[in-house]
Every structure is written in structure tokens, then in C-alpha cells.
Amino acid sequence: MAAESKTFESRYELHQDEDSLPIPLRQLLKEAKQALLNAHAPYSQFNVGAAVLLASGKIVWGSNQENMAYPSGLCAERVAFFSVGAQFPNQKIIAVAISVKANQFLVDEPLAPCGACRQSMLEFELKQGDPITIVMQGETGSIAVLESVKSLLPFYFLEERLKG
Ligand code: THU
């Protein structure tokens, strides 16, 4: 029998600059750029910042924290989301902004989170039941906005699969 062809579709907005972003997202992106100043990235020289906006208006920062034993480090997105889980477990996440500054070159395209961060952020989205807006920018350049983590991670791993 012939195989069926399936397609995933992910939409995102691409803004040429921050002027066309809604003000709360513009502010959140600024916070992500401040957050990356706290990165500990002596090995990659690649500083990533994440700023998470909670329903209360509180903003929680994360930045990549590397370690001399490389796999022990953690990405900015997971540092931020796990901090929310630890400190504000009952608060919904409205949005996350992610930005980057590399020490040796200019990143002028949006920084898309790694697979492990997508899966981790997805868990928060599924748990809270409401989508999390994702805003991504390099050091400069256009800004991508996605309406949910699911749209970053189609065909995602689901807890139900653990139960057979
Ligand atoms: N990194 C992040 O913090 N977030 C991402 O989405 C991709 C990669 C970090 C991990 C490591 O410290 C450095 O960037 C280079 O991979």
C-alpha cells in the first residue's frame, strides 16, 4: 500500500524590527538582552538570554550557564523555565523572549531554541493549557514571533506514550 504523505505547518510572524512588536513583547525582548549579560559562556563565547513573562507581570530571566564538564551546562531557556517552575509553580507563562550575543561574530538572525529546550518548554505549555508566545532575535536583525511552543515542535513526545 502506498504511504500517505503528511505535512506539518508552522506559522510565524517575521518583524523587520521591534517597532511593529506589541509593547509587552518589545519590553520582554529588551529584558532577554539584559539577561544574556549574566551568561556564563567561557567555552562557546555564545551568550544567550531568555526572559519569561508570567501572568502576574513578573519577568524571570535565564541565561546559558556552561560548565567545564560540558554536558553539565544548561541553555538559557531551560534555566529560565525551570526557575519559573521552582519559584512560581502556579503562575501561567504568557511569553518568552530569546536573544543572543556571540563574542566573536554578529548573529543577525533569530535564535531558535534547541530540541531539548523545545521539549522542556512544551511541558510547561501542556501543563498550563494555554499557549506560550515565543519571540526570537539574534543580536540584531529580524524578529520571529511564534504563537506557541507546539508550533516550534510538531510531532512532539507526549506523556500518554509512556502509559501504553
Ligand atoms: N544555547 C542556549 O542557551 N540556548 C539555545 O537555544 C541554544 C544554545 C547555549 C548552550 C551553550 O551554552 C551555547 O549556547 C552554545 O551552544
Side-chain angles (χ1 to χ4, degrees):
M1 199 162 52
E4 203 182 336
S5 172
K6 301 268 198 182
T7 308
F8 289 117
E9 203 175 71
S10 281
R11 289 174 197 285
Y12 62 97
E13 292 173 2
L14 198 61
H15 297 253
Q16 287 320 305
D17 54 44
E18 49 262 4
D19 295 350
S20 55
L21 280 182
I23 288 167
L25 297 186
R26 208 183 302 174
Q27 180 58 33
L28 199 61
L29 191 55
K30 276 202 186 115
E31 298 254 355
K33 287 171 191 292
Q34 286 176 268
L36 68 78
L37 300 174
N38 294 343
H40 174 65
Y43 308 105
S44 69
Q45 304 278 311
F46 194 78
N47 309 286
V48 184
V52 175
L53 173 64
L54 303 181
S56 64
K58 170 98 188 153
I59 292 175
V60 176
W61 286 6
S63 50
N64 54 329
Q65 300 295 322
E66 297 182 353
N67 189 271
M68 59 186 86
Y70 291 177
S72 308
L74 203 59
C75 293
E77 297 88 331
R78 273 177 288 165
V79 169
F81 273 67
F82 293 161
S83 294
V84 171
Q87 297 179 68
F88 306 98
N90 301 316
Q91 284 230 17
K92 286 195 177 184
I93 296 174
I94 305 293
V96 56
I98 304 158
S99 190
V100 57
K101 183 174 174 17
N103 293 346
Q104 283 141 359
F105 52 91
L106 179 72
V107 182
D108 59 2
E109 288 184 333
L111 179 81
C114 78
C117 286
R118 293 177 197 209
Q119 182 71 43
S120 300
M121 295 191 293
L122 181 76
E123 182 114 5
F124 282 79
E125 185 170 276
L126 294 174
K127 195 168 103 183
Q128 70 180 28
D130 287 329
I132 298 171
T133 301
I134 302 173
V135 185
M136 313 181 300
Q137 189 185 31
E139 186 178 350
T140 59
S142 57
I143 302 157
V145 180
L146 288 100
E147 64 186 10
S148 65
V149 183
K150 269 185 194 163
S151 57
L152 256 186
L153 190 64
F155 221 163
Y156 52 86
F157 174 77
L158 201 55
E159 186 197 0
E160 278 78 81
R161 305 285 173 270
L162 291 174
K163 297 172 192 154

PDB file of all heavy atoms in Angstrom, residues 40-41 44 46 48 63-66 74-77 98 111-114 117, ligand 1:
ATOM      1  N   HIS A  40      27.085  32.554  31.511  1.00  0.00           N
ATOM      2  CA  HIS A  40      28.436  32.061  31.835  1.00  0.00           C
ATOM      3  C   HIS A  40      28.809  31.157  30.665  1.00  0.00           C
ATOM      4  O   HIS A  40      28.392  29.992  30.611  1.00  0.00           O
ATOM      5  CB  HIS A  40      28.402  31.281  33.157  1.00  0.00           C
ATOM      6  CG  HIS A  40      29.713  30.636  33.475  1.00  0.00           C
ATOM      7  ND1 HIS A  40      30.858  31.362  33.733  1.00  0.00           N
ATOM      8  CD2 HIS A  40      30.078  29.331  33.553  1.00  0.00           C
ATOM      9  CE1 HIS A  40      31.862  30.527  33.966  1.00  0.00           C
ATOM     10  NE2 HIS A  40      31.411  29.285  33.850  1.00  0.00           N
ATOM     11  N   ALA A  41      29.474  31.746  29.673  1.00  0.00           N
ATOM     12  CA  ALA A  41      29.729  31.020  28.424  1.00  0.00           C
ATOM     13  C   ALA A  41      31.186  31.150  27.989  1.00  0.00           C
ATOM     14  O   ALA A  41      31.478  31.555  26.863  1.00  0.00           O
ATOM     15  CB  ALA A  41      28.779  31.528  27.339  1.00  0.00           C
ATOM     16  N   SER A  44      31.888  28.445  24.815  1.00  0.00           N
ATOM     17  CA  SER A  44      31.312  28.700  23.482  1.00  0.00           C
ATOM     18  C   SER A  44      31.429  30.166  23.073  1.00  0.00           C
ATOM     19  O   SER A  44      31.333  30.488  21.892  1.00  0.00           O
ATOM     20  CB  SER A  44      29.834  28.308  23.469  1.00  0.00           C
ATOM     21  OG  SER A  44      29.091  29.202  24.263  1.00  0.00           O
ATOM     22  N   PHE A  46      29.235  32.205  23.422  1.00  0.00           N
ATOM     23  CA  PHE A  46      27.928  32.420  22.790  1.00  0.00           C
ATOM     24  C   PHE A  46      26.935  32.666  23.927  1.00  0.00           C
ATOM     25  O   PHE A  46      26.541  31.741  24.644  1.00  0.00           O
ATOM     26  CB  PHE A  46      27.578  31.148  22.005  1.00  0.00           C
ATOM     27  CG  PHE A  46      26.459  31.250  21.028  1.00  0.00           C
ATOM     28  CD1 PHE A  46      26.642  31.848  19.791  1.00  0.00           C
ATOM     29  CD2 PHE A  46      25.211  30.694  21.319  1.00  0.00           C
ATOM     30  CE1 PHE A  46      25.609  31.897  18.860  1.00  0.00           C
ATOM     31  CE2 PHE A  46      24.178  30.747  20.396  1.00  0.00           C
ATOM     32  CZ  PHE A  46      24.385  31.340  19.164  1.00  0.00           C
ATOM     33  N   VAL A  48      23.495  33.556  25.596  1.00  0.00           N
ATOM     34  CA  VAL A  48      22.062  33.500  25.275  1.00  0.00           C
ATOM     35  C   VAL A  48      21.268  34.000  26.477  1.00  0.00           C
ATOM     36  O   VAL A  48      21.605  33.697  27.626  1.00  0.00           O
ATOM     37  CB  VAL A  48      21.641  32.050  24.926  1.00  0.00           C
ATOM     38  CG1 VAL A  48      20.173  32.009  24.506  1.00  0.00           C
ATOM     39  CG2 VAL A  48      22.532  31.470  23.826  1.00  0.00           C
ATOM     40  N   SER A  63      19.842  32.558  31.551  1.00  0.00           N
ATOM     41  CA  SER A  63      20.950  32.715  30.608  1.00  0.00           C
ATOM     42  C   SER A  63      21.705  31.402  30.596  1.00  0.00           C
ATOM     43  O   SER A  63      21.611  30.624  31.558  1.00  0.00           O
ATOM     44  CB  SER A  63      21.861  33.878  31.023  1.00  0.00           C
ATOM     45  OG  SER A  63      22.223  33.756  32.380  1.00  0.00           O
ATOM     46  N   ASN A  64      22.425  31.131  29.515  1.00  0.00           N
ATOM     47  CA  ASN A  64      23.123  29.850  29.473  1.00  0.00           C
ATOM     48  C   ASN A  64      24.239  29.821  30.510  1.00  0.00           C
ATOM     49  O   ASN A  64      24.970  30.795  30.690  1.00  0.00           O
ATOM     50  CB  ASN A  64      23.608  29.494  28.060  1.00  0.00           C
ATOM     51  CG  ASN A  64      24.457  30.565  27.410  1.00  0.00           C
ATOM     52  OD1 ASN A  64      24.284  31.745  27.668  1.00  0.00           O
ATOM     53  ND2 ASN A  64      25.381  30.159  26.571  1.00  0.00           N
ATOM     54  N   GLN A  65      24.327  28.702  31.185  1.00  0.00           N
ATOM     55  CA  GLN A  65      25.308  28.510  32.255  1.00  0.00           C
ATOM     56  C   GLN A  65      26.133  27.288  31.888  1.00  0.00           C
ATOM     57  O   GLN A  65      25.655  26.150  32.002  1.00  0.00           O
ATOM     58  CB  GLN A  65      24.586  28.317  33.593  1.00  0.00           C
ATOM     59  CG  GLN A  65      23.711  29.510  33.996  1.00  0.00           C
ATOM     60  CD  GLN A  65      24.509  30.789  34.257  1.00  0.00           C
ATOM     61  OE1 GLN A  65      25.600  30.737  34.817  1.00  0.00           O
ATOM     62  NE2 GLN A  65      23.978  31.937  33.852  1.00  0.00           N
ATOM     63  N   GLU A  66      27.325  27.534  31.398  1.00  0.00           N
ATOM     64  CA  GLU A  66      28.177  26.438  30.950  1.00  0.00           C
ATOM     65  C   GLU A  66      29.022  25.910  32.108  1.00  0.00           C
ATOM     66  O   GLU A  66      29.108  26.538  33.173  1.00  0.00           O
ATOM     67  CB  GLU A  66      29.064  26.921  29.794  1.00  0.00           C
ATOM     68  CG  GLU A  66      28.220  27.325  28.591  1.00  0.00           C
ATOM     69  CD  GLU A  66      29.042  27.763  27.381  1.00  0.00           C
ATOM     70  OE1 GLU A  66      30.269  27.896  27.486  1.00  0.00           O
ATOM     71  OE2 GLU A  66      28.425  27.974  26.316  1.00  0.00           O
ATOM     72  N   LEU A  74      23.714  24.308  31.025  1.00  0.00           N
ATOM     73  CA  LEU A  74      22.297  24.353  30.641  1.00  0.00           C
ATOM     74  C   LEU A  74      22.013  25.588  29.788  1.00  0.00           C
ATOM     75  O   LEU A  74      22.594  26.649  30.006  1.00  0.00           O
ATOM     76  CB  LEU A  74      21.425  24.375  31.911  1.00  0.00           C
ATOM     77  CG  LEU A  74      19.979  23.889  31.758  1.00  0.00           C
ATOM     78  CD1 LEU A  74      19.912  22.446  31.257  1.00  0.00           C
ATOM     79  CD2 LEU A  74      19.244  24.016  33.075  1.00  0.00           C
ATOM     80  N   CYS A  75      21.100  25.434  28.851  1.00  0.00           N
ATOM     81  CA  CYS A  75      20.690  26.533  27.966  1.00  0.00           C
ATOM     82  C   CYS A  75      19.888  27.584  28.735  1.00  0.00           C
ATOM     83  O   CYS A  75      19.242  27.280  29.752  1.00  0.00           O
ATOM     84  CB  CYS A  75      19.791  26.012  26.853  1.00  0.00           C
ATOM     85  SG  CYS A  75      20.595  24.934  25.676  1.00  0.00           S
ATOM     86  N   ALA A  76      19.875  28.774  28.176  1.00  0.00           N
ATOM     87  CA  ALA A  76      19.166  29.904  28.784  1.00  0.00           C
ATOM     88  C   ALA A  76      17.677  29.613  28.979  1.00  0.00           C
ATOM     89  O   ALA A  76      17.098  29.960  30.020  1.00  0.00           O
ATOM     90  CB  ALA A  76      19.331  31.131  27.893  1.00  0.00           C
ATOM     91  N   GLU A  77      17.069  28.991  27.982  1.00  0.00           N
ATOM     92  CA  GLU A  77      15.623  28.761  28.031  1.00  0.00           C
ATOM     93  C   GLU A  77      15.253  27.846  29.193  1.00  0.00           C
ATOM     94  O   GLU A  77      14.289  28.083  29.931  1.00  0.00           O
ATOM     95  CB  GLU A  77      15.123  28.125  26.731  1.00  0.00           C
ATOM     96  CG  GLU A  77      15.299  28.997  25.503  1.00  0.00           C
ATOM     97  CD  GLU A  77      16.656  28.822  24.820  1.00  0.00           C
ATOM     98  OE1 GLU A  77      17.650  28.492  25.514  1.00  0.00           O
ATOM     99  OE2 GLU A  77      16.724  29.040  23.601  1.00  0.00           O
ATOM    100  N   ILE A  98      13.824  35.392  23.517  1.00  0.00           N
ATOM    101  CA  ILE A  98      15.157  34.771  23.496  1.00  0.00           C
ATOM    102  C   ILE A  98      16.060  35.611  22.603  1.00  0.00           C
ATOM    103  O   ILE A  98      15.680  35.972  21.480  1.00  0.00           O
ATOM    104  CB  ILE A  98      15.066  33.337  22.934  1.00  0.00           C
ATOM    105  CG1 ILE A  98      14.068  32.495  23.727  1.00  0.00           C
ATOM    106  CG2 ILE A  98      16.439  32.673  22.934  1.00  0.00           C
ATOM    107  CD1 ILE A  98      13.514  31.301  22.971  1.00  0.00           C
ATOM    108  N   LEU A 111      17.356  33.490  16.959  1.00  0.00           N
ATOM    109  CA  LEU A 111      17.928  32.281  17.547  1.00  0.00           C
ATOM    110  C   LEU A 111      16.790  31.330  17.911  1.00  0.00           C
ATOM    111  O   LEU A 111      16.000  31.605  18.804  1.00  0.00           O
ATOM    112  CB  LEU A 111      18.719  32.617  18.811  1.00  0.00           C
ATOM    113  CG  LEU A 111      19.319  31.374  19.472  1.00  0.00           C
ATOM    114  CD1 LEU A 111      20.611  30.984  18.773  1.00  0.00           C
ATOM    115  CD2 LEU A 111      19.564  31.577  20.944  1.00  0.00           C
ATOM    116  N   ALA A 112      16.746  30.195  17.221  1.00  0.00           N
ATOM    117  CA  ALA A 112      15.712  29.194  17.511  1.00  0.00           C
ATOM    118  C   ALA A 112      16.239  28.231  18.571  1.00  0.00           C
ATOM    119  O   ALA A 112      17.368  27.765  18.487  1.00  0.00           O
ATOM    120  CB  ALA A 112      15.359  28.442  16.236  1.00  0.00           C
ATOM    121  N   PRO A 113      15.423  27.956  19.596  1.00  0.00           N
ATOM    122  CA  PRO A 113      15.875  27.102  20.699  1.00  0.00           C
ATOM    123  C   PRO A 113      16.210  25.680  20.258  1.00  0.00           C
ATOM    124  O   PRO A 113      15.640  25.169  19.294  1.00  0.00           O
ATOM    125  CB  PRO A 113      14.675  27.066  21.646  1.00  0.00           C
ATOM    126  CG  PRO A 113      13.748  28.112  21.187  1.00  0.00           C
ATOM    127  CD  PRO A 113      14.058  28.436  19.780  1.00  0.00           C
ATOM    128  N   CYS A 114      17.108  25.034  20.997  1.00  0.00           N
ATOM    129  CA  CYS A 114      17.494  23.658  20.682  1.00  0.00           C
ATOM    130  C   CYS A 114      16.335  22.705  20.994  1.00  0.00           C
ATOM    131  O   CYS A 114      15.367  23.067  21.668  1.00  0.00           O
ATOM    132  CB  CYS A 114      18.746  23.265  21.479  1.00  0.00           C
ATOM    133  SG  CYS A 114      18.419  22.846  23.194  1.00  0.00           S
ATOM    134  N   CYS A 117      15.335  22.153  24.700  1.00  0.00           N
ATOM    135  CA  CYS A 117      14.599  23.289  25.264  1.00  0.00           C
ATOM    136  C   CYS A 117      13.162  23.324  24.747  1.00  0.00           C
ATOM    137  O   CYS A 117      12.235  23.652  25.490  1.00  0.00           O
ATOM    138  CB  CYS A 117      15.311  24.602  24.947  1.00  0.00           C
ATOM    139  SG  CYS A 117      16.796  24.826  25.931  1.00  0.00           S
TER     140      CYS A 117
HETATM  141  N1  THU B   1      22.290  27.665  23.963  1.00  0.00           N
HETATM  142  C1  THU B   1      21.243  28.210  24.622  1.00  0.00           C
HETATM  143  O1  THU B   1      21.380  28.738  25.724  1.00  0.00           O
HETATM  144  N2  THU B   1      20.026  28.153  24.039  1.00  0.00           N
HETATM  145  C2  THU B   1      19.785  27.613  22.808  1.00  0.00           C
HETATM  146  O2  THU B   1      18.640  27.565  22.388  1.00  0.00           O
HETATM  147  C3  THU B   1      20.888  27.082  22.013  1.00  0.00           C
HETATM  148  C4  THU B   1      22.205  27.010  22.682  1.00  0.00           C
HETATM  149  C5  THU B   1      23.610  27.738  24.596  1.00  0.00           C
HETATM  150  C6  THU B   1      24.179  26.427  25.041  1.00  0.00           C
HETATM  151  C7  THU B   1      25.652  26.719  25.043  1.00  0.00           C
HETATM  152  O3  THU B   1      25.997  27.321  26.275  1.00  0.00           O
HETATM  153  C8  THU B   1      25.827  27.735  23.940  1.00  0.00           C
HETATM  154  O4  THU B   1      24.541  28.280  23.686  1.00  0.00           O
HETATM  155  C9  THU B   1      26.387  27.149  22.648  1.00  0.00           C
HETATM  156  O5  THU B   1      25.645  26.069  22.222  1.00  0.00           O
END
